[in-house]
Amino acid sequence: MGNRLYVGNLPFSVDESSLRSLFEQNERTVEEIKLITDRDTGKLRGFGFVEMGNSEDADKAIRELNGYEMDGRPLKVNEARERTASGGNGRGGGFGR
């Protein structure tokens, strides 16, 4: 398992400090927090990524925080997957049609 976690269904009131505090509970180590914002409005998009100190901390965070209710919203916490190089709208993109 990797150290990078996807965290979804975040309340829009969350900030980096409150998310770090949550993930550092029970002596887990957090290396980095990245909250994703809308590029046009700058508002949070409701998800982010947490880089844990090691894979054991990442595994514990998934077990303990997936489904954890934060400001009335159950968090979705799992191992982050790498983005595909295609950009991903699934419709192809050939020029010669």
Side-chain angles (χ1 to χ4, degrees):
M1 161 170 273
N3 300 351
R4 188 172 166 90
L5 303 178
Y6 165 84
V7 184
N9 203 33
L10 286 168
F12 295 107
S13 60
V14 75
D15 61 15
E16 187 175 318
S17 175
S18 61
L19 195 60
R20 180 178 292 276
S21 293
L22 177 65
F23 275 79
E24 285 181 339
Q25 290 177 0
N26 298 327
E27 300 180 16
R28 291 184 297 258
T29 302
V30 172
E31 298 292 326
E32 183 180 13
I33 303 281
K34 177 74 173 163
L35 295 174
I36 306 303
T37 56
D38 182 274
R39 76 180 86 184
D40 296 326
T41 66
K43 293 182 180 180
L44 292 176
R45 294 192 55 203
F47 70 97
F49 298 93
V50 177
E51 182 84 28
M52 301 301 294
N54 58 58
S55 61
E56 292 159 0
D57 283 350
D59 189 42
K60 285 188 342 186
I62 290 170
R63 283 195 318 269
E64 295 173 12
L65 298 176
N66 187 41
Y68 177 87
E69 195 166 299
M70 184 178 207
D71 292 343
R73 298 180 72 147
L75 298 182
K76 176 70 176 169
V77 181
N78 54 39
E79 186 174 4
R81 294 179 292 213
E82 293 297 320
R83 290 174 86 174
T84 60
S86 67
N89 68 9
R91 294 188 290 190
F95 288 104
R97 293 186 193 200

